[in-house]
């Protein structure tokens, strides 16, 4: 990769193959019951991973749920100071979020781990939903249900840089590839996909 490249363009095929090679380890070690895709960058990776996980495991009814979080994109009502500094929730799992997650192995999926702020927010808030749901169960059952509820994280790309937030201890973390601190251009952001792929090939020369 040229040191002059500021933008690193990634193709659909590259993402597909990174997920394909990552899935056997995830299936063997975590075997998720539910995928939680962070929108919008986690939607395509989650859908591709579902295909491979259904082949690797016996879970043929594996489902994807979606949450919407924004850190860098403008959202109505968001101030300039908030963009890039504050994670904004734009979509969630609904009032029964905790019930949906409780007792399951939940894999959070996103396209990139940049500052880790978004992943930290997603994991923390989903864990809070589980704790709220546990309060509706008899106290004698809570430890068992809490222990049965697992979270893990998968990202297509992990940027090799200092993070501004951390994940809770013990959370399994999977990345398709570790990359430098570059601006990653994903194919679903491209208007002209042929030109995107042409430039992606040049990036790798």
């Amino acid at each position: 990769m040229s040191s002059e490249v500021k933008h690193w363009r990634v193709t659909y095929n590259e993402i597909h193959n990174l997920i394909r090679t990552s899935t056997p380890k995830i299936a063997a070690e975590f075997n998720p019951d539910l995928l939680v895709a962070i929108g919008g960058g986690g939607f395509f990776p989650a859908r591709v991973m579902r295909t491979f996980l259904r082949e690797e495991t016996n879970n043929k009814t594996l489902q994807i749920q979606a949450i919407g979080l924004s850190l860098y994109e403008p959202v109505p009502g968001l101030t300039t100071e908030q963009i890039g500094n504050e994670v904004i929730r734009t979509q969630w799992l609904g009032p029964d979020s905790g019930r949906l997650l409780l007792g399951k192995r939940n894999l959070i999926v996103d396209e990139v781990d940049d500052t880790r702020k978004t992943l930290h927010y997603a994991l923390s808030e989903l864990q809070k939903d589980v704790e709220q749901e546990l309060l509706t169960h008899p106290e004698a059952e809570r430890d068992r249900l809490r222990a049965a509820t697992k979270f893990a994280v998968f990202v297509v790309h992990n940027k090799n840089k200092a993070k501004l937030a951390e994940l809770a201890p013990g959370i399994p973390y999977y990345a398709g590839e570790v990359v430098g601190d570059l601006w990653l251009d994903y194919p679903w952001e491209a208007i002209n996909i042929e030109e995107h792929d042409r430039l992606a090939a040049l990036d790798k020369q």
Side-chain angles (χ1 to χ4, degrees):
M1 178 174 59
S2 170
S3 61
E4 297 179 359
V5 174
K6 300 300 181 184
H7 284 243
W8 184 246
R9 296 167 185 87
V10 190
T11 68
Y12 280 117
N13 282 359
E14 288 168 340
I15 294 166
H16 190 97
N17 286 323
L18 284 173
I19 296 169
R20 176 179 58 82
T21 56
S22 300
T23 302
K25 181 178 175 67
I26 295 171
E29 295 181 358
F30 191 69
N31 190 17
D33 300 309
L34 183 70
L35 303 181
V36 181
I38 299 179
F43 293 159
F44 178 80
R47 180 59 188 87
V48 175
M49 175 159 282
R50 178 178 182 265
T51 295
F52 290 122
L53 282 171
R54 290 177 69 194
E55 289 298 312
E56 290 281 340
T57 70
N58 293 322
N59 191 353
K60 305 305 180 185
T61 60
L62 182 64
Q63 296 298 305
I64 301 173
Q65 294 290 330
I67 59 177
L69 300 175
S70 177
L71 181 59
Y72 296 109
E73 294 182 2
V75 173
L78 201 64
T79 66
T80 304
E81 291 75 20
Q82 287 175 296
I83 296 176
N85 293 309
E86 184 177 342
V87 178
I88 303 298
R89 183 189 297 198
T90 60
Q91 176 184 332
W92 207 246
L93 299 180
D96 294 326
S97 172
R99 186 181 305 174
L100 180 68
L101 302 166
L102 190 66
K104 294 186 176 72
R105 296 182 299 274
N106 306 286
L107 181 66
I108 301 169
V109 179
D110 207 358
E111 88 276 42
V112 61
D113 181 359
D114 186 5
T115 64
R116 200 161 284 174
K117 279 187 174 183
T118 302
L119 290 170
H120 170 81
Y121 180 95
L123 177 61
S124 299
E125 293 299 304
L126 292 171
Q127 288 176 321
K128 288 178 186 177
D129 289 349
V130 169
E131 290 301 316
Q132 283 298 115
E133 175 63 24
L134 283 169
L135 296 177
T136 69
H137 291 260
E139 188 171 355
E141 297 180 6
R142 292 176 192 170
D143 286 345
R144 175 183 62 81
L145 290 169
R146 184 181 289 110
T149 307
K150 309 289 186 182
F151 288 96
V153 168
F154 170 77
V155 293
V156 178
H157 295 107
N158 174 26
K159 289 190 182 182
N160 186 14
K161 60 184 289 187
K163 307 300 185 183
L164 301 181
E166 293 300 329
L167 303 177
I171 297 296
Y173 178 92
Y174 305 94
E177 185 177 29
V178 178
V179 297
D181 187 13
L182 297 168
W183 188 273
L184 294 167
D185 289 340
Y186 288 98
W188 48 79
E189 299 167 341
I191 301 299
N192 185 331
I193 192 62
E194 288 79 13
E195 179 67 3
H196 174 89
D197 287 351
R198 185 186 73 82
L199 293 172
L202 292 177
D203 284 347
K204 294 163 182 64
Q205 291 182 358

